[in-house]
Amino acid sequence: MHLFERERHVESLDGWLREAAAGGGRLVFVGGEAGVGKTALVDHFCRSARGRARVLRGACDALSTQRPLGPLLDVAAAVGAELDRLLSGDAPRDRVFRATLAELGAGLTPTLVVVEDAHWADEATLDLLRFLGRRLGPVRAIVVVTYRDDEVGPAHPLRVVLGDLATTAAIRRLHLAPLSIDGIRALVAAKSGGTRLDPSAIHRLTGGNPFFASEVLADETAADGRLPATVRDAVLARAARLSPEGREALDAAAVIGSPAGGTLLTEVVGASAAAVEACLFGGMLVDAGKGAFAFRHELARAAIHDAIAPPRRADLHARVLRALETAPVERRDLARLAHHAEEAGDRAAVMRYAPAAARRAAALRAHREAAAQYARALRYATDLPDEQRLSLLEEYADVTDLSGRGTEGIAPREELIALARRCGNRAKEAKHLGWLAVTLALDGRHAAAVHAGAAALAAIEGLPESSAHATAYYHQAHLRLEHYDLTEAIHWGERAIALAERLGDLETLIPALNAVGTARLVGGDERRGRTDLERSLRLAEAVDLEGFVVAALANLGYAHTELYRLDHADCYLTEAIAYATERDLDHWRHWGLTGLALVRLFQGRWTEAEDLAAAVLRGLDAVGVAAVRHTSAVANATAVLPLYLGIPALVARGRVRARRGDQDATAALDEALALAAPTERMDWLAPVRAARAEAAWLAGDRCRTLTEARAAFDLAERHRHPWLVGELAYWRWKAGDLDAPPADAAAPFALAIAGDWRAAAAAWDERNAPYEAARARAEGDDAEALREALATFERLGARPMAAHVAKRLRDLGARGIPRGPRPTTRANPANLTVRELEILPLLAAGRRNAEIAEGLYLSTKTVEHHVGSILAKLGVRARGDTAVAAGRLGIVLAPDEVR
């Protein structure tokens, strides 16, 4: 088969295969709309690679609930006994992943693995891709992943994986565009026997989609000389020309799924070799190898499947189910069995296979698929005894929490609370009321969270003390901590700790220590808080509870960030990120990256701060931030962008841009406020207001500075948060609204408000916060201190404060202070630094970071930071846009002139 307009893509794949053969592993994502030719491209590539590489192929299934690690199951049968044994033996997921990585690097020739249709991938498969993407670099293998990019929207799980891996060195991307009008002309010209159809009309009706165009060309007679309105009509018209036996085999293949084994076809409908051959010769099926047959495209399979009359479709699914049940128990594909059971309407089979499939998916950490399987089971479990339905609901609620989709577990948790109450099981009622309270709090629903927490305590009132009490007390501590009621958080946490220690309840003791330690640490009791959190960490490590380990590290990092103990925060968060990355705990990895973005902000490492914030927002998909402006229901947005990750990431981005004086400084802070305002939570709202007050002051808007600072000041004072009280008071003071510091203000801010700028600067120096220290020095009239502040602001690229301090120095009569930008940057409106002006022409010329680094004797990481700064200052996202943006601003790009 000839590939039209795909020569460049073939060359790229061949080049990456050569790189893989030389020890530079690659994970290639090939995206394009349905029918654009992704399969044709990888088919061609696989044929050309045979003899140069070991070729393995697997696919994600279009099941209503996918089978966990489906592509790996396809591959395992071809690579040997070890991986197959691990998968069939329910081995731990980490062992399976590492065995896969080892298998890819085995042998004398490189390995080519194709994973098709990743838009249908289960959570475990997505985790495997994430795992491989981070570790494939030194492996002699290339993994090619195809997906429909028109079906991977902002909230799609694959989009998160693509964001997480965006900056990974081994990742490559290909996008297949539809054919141009010339491509369609070539396709028409290649049609055997010619055609009466006009290429322009085909292109207009199909949008250049090769599959659609091919189907139209193949089905001229069905349309009686007229182009069919839809591809579905074309597919069904071709199918109608099959014999009755051929159509029966085709229907069965559509129900089985692609590929369909010939033996299974025979078992389901008694398909003869002649019937299957009719489908092959009619172009409806293709030989998939090893006795299996596949549709030329999934769109064709779906069209045939949907056209089968519902009673007959259900009967076919029932036949497939019975045939699959004859396999040995240990070889049964539970997800596929559950799918066919539901399609057949077989309640007993659904209840037999869906919960088992859910538990298997959960064991592989494919929590989204596990939740879908539990939901399937619950739809058929309406007449289960209360205790059995309660157990099923508990498992469902647990996996929705673990999948990072806790809000989806609210409804089942509310039902199981009602069931527990009806069964008289007050311990379970209290447990799930507590979890409901925590979920509601994280979702920004304060009043509902408080109500659920109070109901949890009421449920256990009068019962003998047990683990249910310890859990309820811990939930209270967590809930109070979420709302910065530190005294109550410590009170309830200590009760949970004492009872958990008496009962030996380690799984409550560890998070209770975490909650108490965090409350103490952010409340200023650094020694005891650190001790509690470190104990929680050690206990979790001892029993290998990895979620609690990373939670302790992350909270140690975040709490120290709130105290501006930046060196401590840096260490803990870096360790948390490394731990989460190694174990593919991506929720916690994002949490750590968010905290580290704030640390880098205060350390003056602004390019890194913005890069980290961008990584979080890219992974969570920042589209959800804008969406929140159009809804009053915060919960609707949190499924896309969790508030506790999105708000601090946006604050870090907004503060960096405001301090640099970027034109788009307020956009991120506007989005942060849209997320934070409906929650009325102090720990989300006050940092946003403080950042907005600073941005307003830097923009010279004193009135807005005061408005922003006042908006959250009472809230911060009510919760007695010294650092937020201090910063908001500082901006009120700068706007002329305060004469003395509040009693609760943290020392560096209080000292500045009291006029002791030297002591304030020393306090910030002690915390290694250079911008804040320079800002404190800028409060005085000492020329030497002002010069020191100016040097810091210029080094950081803090243009608004540099201009402010330079003016003060000139007003004091200091000499040698430039008016406006220095001569080296005066010629460019983007205020690029000398080094950035040196890098810009090389960047615009298409040089890679490594090439720029080598030519300028810099590290690649340093160049990455400068490139990020250049893109931000020019207001562009892509490297290829820099030349146009620079020209628009009148910046000269000749290297000899800008040096």
Side-chain angles (χ1 to χ4, degrees):
M1 176 181 176
H2 183 77
L3 294 179
F4 297 99
E5 298 184 341
R6 298 292 184 255
E7 295 80 5
R8 179 175 58 85
H9 303 88
V10 172
E11 290 174 3
S12 295
L13 289 168
D14 281 334
W16 293 329
L17 177 57
R18 288 193 297 272
E19 291 175 7
R26 297 289 178 258
L27 175 58
V28 182
F29 288 99
V30 180
E33 67 184 32
V36 80
K38 301 180 293 297
T39 299
L41 175 65
V42 296
D43 282 347
H44 176 91
F45 180 47
C46 288
R47 284 194 299 272
S48 70
R50 295 193 189 280
R52 296 182 290 156
R54 177 179 57 157
V55 179
L56 304 170
R57 298 188 71 160
C60 302
D61 298 310
L63 299 175
S64 52
T65 300
Q66 298 86 352
R67 53 185 182 140
L69 296 178
L72 191 57
L73 290 169
D74 295 340
V75 167
V79 299
E82 176 60 15
L83 188 56
D84 197 34
R85 183 184 63 77
L86 289 174
L87 284 167
S88 61
D90 289 351
R93 193 186 71 156
D94 290 347
R95 285 189 62 195
V96 172
F97 282 14
R98 296 190 184 282
T100 303
L101 186 65
E103 183 61 41
L104 292 182
L108 299 177
T109 59
T111 299
L112 162 61
V113 179
V114 173
V115 176
E116 294 191 75
D117 297 324
H119 49 279
W120 288 319
D122 64 283
E123 193 171 8
T125 297
L126 293 177
D127 283 348
L128 176 62
L129 294 178
R130 191 184 278 111
F131 176 92
L132 293 175
R134 291 170 180 158
R135 296 162 177 86
L136 205 58
V139 179
R140 298 177 67 242
I142 176 172
V143 179
V144 179
V145 180
T146 70
Y147 69 101
R148 295 181 186 175
D149 55 9
D150 58 335
E151 294 186 17
V152 177
H156 195 286
L158 179 57
R159 184 67 64 189
V160 177
V161 175
L162 293 169
D164 286 344
L165 297 177
T167 58
T168 304
I171 303 305
R172 298 293 184 269
R173 301 281 291 272
L174 282 180
H175 172 73
L176 270 62
L179 298 179
S180 68
I181 180 62
D182 289 335
I184 293 294
R185 287 194 183 101
L187 183 65
V188 170
K191 178 174 167 38
S192 175
T195 178
R196 296 175 294 138
L197 301 178
D198 175 26
S200 297
I202 296 175
H203 187 267
R204 183 173 61 253
L205 287 173
T206 65
N209 184 289
F211 171 73
F212 294 359
S214 297
E215 292 301 314
V216 168
L217 284 169
D219 194 53
E220 282 186 71
T221 57
D224 192 23
R226 292 176 286 110
L227 293 176
T230 66
V231 173
R232 179 177 177 275
D233 290 340
V235 172
L236 295 178
R238 293 180 68 189
R241 293 194 289 271
L242 293 172
S243 65
E245 294 80 8
R247 181 56 191 266
E248 187 174 37
L250 188 68
D251 288 351
V255 167
I256 292 168
S258 193
T263 302
L264 188 55
L265 277 171
T266 301
E267 289 183 43
V268 172
V269 291
S272 65
V276 175
E277 283 182 1
C279 297
L280 290 170
F281 295 149
M284 297 305 302
L285 295 179
V286 295
D287 188 347
K290 297 185 178 179
F293 306 95
F295 281 84
R296 294 172 59 227
H297 196 282
E298 170 58 26
L299 293 177
R301 190 206 66 80
I304 297 298
H305 182 273
D306 293 346
I308 304 170
R312 173 168 157 69
R313 189 164 63 226
D315 178 62
L316 285 171
H317 278 287
R319 294 189 202 178
V320 174
L321 175 65
R322 288 194 296 273
L324 292 175
E325 285 180 319
T326 62
V329 173
E330 68 276 7
R331 306 294 296 180
R332 289 180 182 177
D333 188 331
L334 296 171
R336 186 176 291 277
L337 286 163
H339 163 74
H340 290 297
E342 182 171 34
E343 292 293 328
D346 187 335
R347 176 190 175 281
V350 170
M351 294 309 299
R352 192 160 58 245
Y353 297 120
R359 292 176 191 119
R360 175 57 180 154
L364 291 167
R365 295 187 199 148
H367 299 301
R368 188 176 60 254
E369 283 66 40
Q373 293 287 7
Y374 279 124
R376 167 182 277 155
L378 286 164
R379 288 195 294 272
Y380 287 81
T382 52
D383 59 349
L384 275 185
D386 282 352
E387 287 289 352
Q388 291 182 34
R389 185 169 177 84
L390 178 61
S391 178
L392 202 58
L393 279 164
E394 280 192 289
E395 293 178 83
Y396 178 38
D398 287 344
V399 295
T400 56
D401 290 339
L402 291 169
S403 66
R405 298 170 154 220
T407 54
E408 291 183 12
I410 289 176
R413 194 148 342 241
E414 287 174 336
E415 183 186 349
L416 69 85
I417 289 166
L419 270 176
R421 189 176 295 133
R422 192 161 70 224
C423 294
N425 193 330
R426 290 163 61 189
K428 281 194 175 180
E429 179 187 350
K431 171 187 173 181
H432 292 289
L433 279 165
W435 279 117
L436 178 63
V438 171
T439 305
L440 291 168
L442 288 172
D443 199 39
R445 295 154 71 175
H446 174 72
V450 170
H451 177 77
L457 292 176
I460 57 169
E461 190 174 341
L463 293 179
E465 278 199 323
S466 66
S467 290
H469 291 72
T471 303
Y473 300 157
Y474 155 65
H475 284 144
Q476 278 295 311
H478 187 100
L479 190 60
R480 305 291 180 160
L481 180 60
E482 285 291 322
H483 296 95
Y484 212 83
D485 189 348
L486 302 184
T487 302
E488 283 295 297
I490 293 169
H491 164 72
W492 287 105
E494 286 180 331
R495 290 187 67 178
I497 290 167
L499 182 53
E501 285 181 325
R502 286 204 307 274
L503 297 173
D505 182 359
L506 205 58
E507 292 199 15
T508 301
L509 175 61
I510 292 171
L513 283 166
N514 192 312
V516 170
T518 303
R520 283 180 172 146
L521 191 51
V522 299
D525 190 348
E526 296 185 39
R527 183 187 62 80
R528 293 179 69 193
R530 195 177 298 119
T531 297
D532 288 334
L533 277 164
E534 292 281 5
R535 184 185 174 204
S536 173
L537 175 61
R538 289 193 303 274
L539 288 172
E541 287 175 332
V543 292
D544 197 29
L545 290 174
E546 58 186 24
F548 289 153
V549 171
V550 73
L553 289 169
N555 280 355
L556 279 161
Y558 254 94
H560 282 101
T561 303
E562 284 199 38
L563 300 173
Y564 289 84
R565 298 294 184 190
L566 303 179
D567 292 343
H568 289 309
D570 194 335
C571 290
Y572 285 121
L573 289 170
T574 300
E575 187 177 352
I577 293 165
Y579 186 94
T581 301
E582 174 63 24
R583 290 156 181 81
D584 296 303
L585 302 171
D586 283 283
H587 166 78
W588 285 107
R589 177 174 170 270
H590 282 134
W591 184 234
L593 290 173
T594 304
L596 195 59
L598 294 169
V599 171
R600 295 288 183 260
L601 162 71
F602 295 122
Q603 288 175 331
R605 297 160 66 175
W606 291 350
T607 301
E608 291 179 62
E610 191 163 18
D611 287 347
L612 289 165
V616 173
L617 296 171
R618 185 169 56 244
L620 298 170
D621 198 73
V623 174
V625 184
V628 81
R629 294 178 180 172
H630 307 295
T631 176
S632 59
V634 177
N636 290 347
T638 57
V640 180
L641 184 74
L643 301 180
Y644 50 88
L645 294 176
I647 291 171
L650 288 165
V651 166
R653 170 183 280 179
R655 294 197 92 149
V656 166
R657 293 180 177 181
R659 291 180 176 192
R660 286 193 311 218
D662 294 346
Q663 292 180 345
D664 60 347
T666 59
L669 298 179
D670 288 344
E671 292 170 345
L673 183 62
L675 285 173
T679 72
E680 299 183 355
R681 278 185 51 158
M682 186 275 301
D683 57 331
W684 293 345
L685 189 55
V688 174
R689 291 294 188 181
R692 291 171 64 84
E694 178 183 18
W697 191 86
L698 290 171
D701 190 339
R702 301 298 187 269
C703 182
R704 190 160 58 88
T705 300
L706 181 57
T707 299
E708 296 288 354
R710 281 179 171 174
F713 181 80
D714 289 344
L715 189 61
E717 263 209 324
R718 189 159 62 248
H719 288 280
R720 302 182 65 183
H721 192 300
W723 292 94
L724 289 170
V725 167
E727 183 169 13
L728 292 166
Y730 176 81
W731 294 118
R732 288 183 62 186
W733 172 68
K734 294 291 285 182
D737 191 46
L738 280 181
D739 295 323
D744 291 332
F749 292 112
L751 290 167
I753 295 170
D756 192 349
W757 60 266
R758 286 185 176 84
W764 287 120
D765 282 334
E766 190 266 334
R767 285 171 165 78
N768 294 321
Y771 182 90
E772 281 71 14
R775 190 173 62 193
R777 290 186 175 90
E779 302 293 352
D781 292 327
D782 182 89
E784 188 59 35
L786 286 170
R787 285 184 182 275
E788 185 179 349
L790 178 59
T792 298
F793 290 136
E794 288 183 334
R795 175 176 61 80
L796 294 173
R799 295 189 297 275
M801 283 303 296
H804 171 73
V805 174
K807 182 179 184 303
R808 292 204 59 215
L809 280 165
R810 288 194 301 272
D811 291 344
L812 290 172
R815 296 179 178 274
I817 307 300
R819 293 181 178 275
R822 293 184 180 276
T824 52
T825 59
R826 193 175 296 154
N828 69 87
N831 287 317
L832 300 175
T833 66
V834 174
R835 180 65 79 184
E836 289 165 354
L837 284 168
E838 196 173 22
I839 290 173
L840 175 58
L842 304 174
L843 180 64
R847 301 281 183 85
R848 296 180 179 179
N849 288 354
E851 295 175 310
I852 297 172
E854 183 178 357
L856 298 179
Y857 302 100
L858 300 171
S859 72
T860 304
K861 193 68 176 177
T862 298
V863 171
E864 287 177 3
H865 295 159
H866 284 305
V867 169
S869 178
I870 291 169
L871 296 178
K873 290 179 179 180
L874 293 178
V876 298
R877 293 185 177 181
R879 301 161 70 96
D881 296 333
T882 52
V884 174
R888 190 168 55 246
L889 294 171
I891 300 173
V892 180
L893 293 183
D896 291 337
E897 293 181 26
V898 298
R899 284 182 179 168

